[in-house]
Amino acid sequence: MPIKIPDNLPARRTLEAEGVMVMREADAVRQDIRPLRIGLLNLMPNKISTETQLARLIGATPLQVELSLVRITNHVARHTPADHMASFYRPWDDVRAERFDGFIITGAPVERFPFESVTYWDELRRIFDWTQTHVHHCFTICWAAQAAVHHFYGVPKHELPAKAAGIFRHRSLVPASPFLRGFSDDFPIPVSRWTEVRRRDLPSNAGLTVLAESDETGLCLLDDPAHRMLHMFNHLEYDTTTLADEYNRDRAAGMEMPVPKHYFPSDEPTHRPVNSWRGHAHLLFGNWINQMYQTTPFNVDSIGLAA
């Protein structure tokens, strides 16, 4: 089944060109099934690119998915046109009475700041708490994953001596996990962050399970069943050229940036990188959606009531 997104969302044209099945809103209402409701709180600066990346992965599943775009209520996006935000995004205050089968919270370019100094930290904490009563399962990415484990468990983040950027090999530690179904023993994942969460800081009695990690960059994927959350500290959703775009952007801004590791052929930034992680990105999101579909209540209004 296809993904249902607004008819005029820029991601629609990209996804249709790639062969992803995208349903028109008028057609969706005629189907006598309940689509999975997934919300996306998009904190990334290039919101249109992130929408497309995540909609591509969500739309590849055999289930009908209704994607709702959500923003921080009083935060003004500086890198996305205001008319795009007004047309396609709803402030969280307007959706907080609704319930979702799944909810994705992205990374944000604020990881070098203390959590408490981020302007929308108080609202994000309320959103984390809201997911416990209005969302069946939550998926956090990069900084949002760090923020979630800090909010719920007090786990600190640590600044790295240099940005961790590149494609790094990771190990599957719990092959029997439903989220890792079909994964190789060893697989590549894009990493792009200035900070990290360390395994030794995780509380031992909280039921947290490390599903994947890297010898070079540490924790990657963390299962948090107590809060019905999956925390991904890296970026499987990235496009082929996203790391290159970030590298060139930072260099153009005068920042001393190392070339992303294991990414450009021959470590030469003028060479086009090869996407070696796309298959595992589809696996992870497909597994997450399948697990959510198997366990979510049929009646949307029942979501969160048994939490």
Side-chain angles (χ1 to χ4, degrees):
M1 296 297 290
I3 183 172
K4 176 192 167 190
I5 56 178
D7 291 341
N8 296 322
L9 190 71
R12 171 179 288 273
R13 293 187 295 275
T14 301
L15 298 179
E16 288 177 334
E18 294 174 359
V20 176
M21 293 182 65
V22 184
M23 174 170 279
R24 294 186 307 156
E25 293 177 285
D27 294 334
V29 298
R30 290 199 295 266
Q31 292 202 339
D32 189 23
I33 61 174
R34 182 176 90 73
L36 286 177
R37 298 200 69 220
I38 295 180
L40 170 60
L41 179 64
N42 190 354
L43 304 177
M44 291 290 277
N46 191 334
K47 296 190 180 345
I48 295 175
S49 292
T50 303
E51 295 156 16
T52 305
Q53 291 165 3
L54 292 170
R56 175 186 297 120
L57 298 172
I58 295 169
T61 67
L63 303 171
Q64 186 188 136
V65 175
E66 178 182 306
L67 182 63
S68 298
L69 301 178
V70 182
R71 63 174 175 83
I72 294 292
T73 301
N74 294 315
H75 181 72
V76 178
R78 294 182 298 168
H79 302 284
T80 303
D83 60 345
H84 181 86
M85 299 300 297
S87 297
F88 301 113
Y89 280 79
R90 298 166 64 195
W92 175 68
D93 271 351
D94 286 0
V95 305
R96 62 191 303 175
E98 300 178 15
R99 298 179 189 273
F100 294 85
D101 300 288
F103 202 78
I104 301 170
I105 307 177
T106 73
V110 294
E111 56 185 303
R112 302 178 82 176
F113 298 108
F115 291 115
E116 292 75 14
S117 69
V118 175
T119 56
Y120 50 80
W121 176 244
D122 288 341
E123 180 167 349
L124 184 59
R125 292 185 66 191
R126 293 194 295 274
I127 292 172
F128 283 143
D129 290 338
W130 166 85
T131 66
Q132 301 305 287
T133 56
H134 288 73
V135 174
H136 182 64
H137 206 280
C138 191
F139 192 129
T140 63
I141 298 174
C142 200
W143 178 80
Q146 296 179 348
V149 295
H150 178 71
H151 172 70
F152 288 114
Y153 298 106
V155 175
K157 60 183 171 69
H158 302 270
E159 186 156 358
L160 298 168
K163 185 178 184 179
I167 308 300
F168 296 90
R169 306 300 303 187
H170 289 74
R171 298 185 307 280
S172 172
L173 301 181
V174 189
S177 167
F179 300 114
L180 294 181
R181 188 178 295 112
F183 267 65
S184 306
D185 295 338
D186 176 272
F187 46 90
I189 293 184
V191 177
S192 179
R193 49 183 165 79
W194 293 92
T195 57
E196 66 178 1
V197 168
R198 296 173 181 167
R199 179 191 274 263
R200 67 170 178 263
D201 292 328
L202 300 178
S204 59
N205 59 349
L208 296 168
T209 301
V210 179
L211 300 181
E213 67 180 348
S214 165
D215 290 336
E216 292 185 83
T217 57
L219 292 180
C220 173
L221 189 64
L222 186 66
D223 186 14
D224 181 4
H227 295 97
R228 304 184 311 284
M229 285 184 155
L230 190 64
H231 307 298
M232 162 57 75
F233 297 103
N234 300 314
H235 286 284
L236 259 180
E237 81 282 1
Y238 268 11
D239 287 329
T240 302
T241 61
T242 303
L243 285 173
D245 295 339
E246 293 180 349
Y247 170 74
N248 292 326
R249 175 202 64 199
D250 292 342
R251 296 277 292 181
M255 300 173 65
E256 291 290 333
M257 296 298 300
V259 175
K261 293 183 178 180
H262 322 303
Y263 177 56
F264 294 108
S266 303
D267 290 329
E268 175 50 62
T270 60
H271 293 173
R272 181 176 174 81
V274 175
N275 192 313
S276 59
W277 61 91
R278 182 183 294 118
H280 285 94
H282 281 283
L283 268 178
L284 181 61
F285 278 83
N287 287 342
W288 176 63
I289 290 175
N290 180 60
Q291 185 66 10
M292 181 168 51
Y293 173 74
Q294 297 293 334
T295 58
T296 194
F298 178 79
N299 186 345
V300 175
D301 293 335
S302 297
I303 291 174
L305 296 183

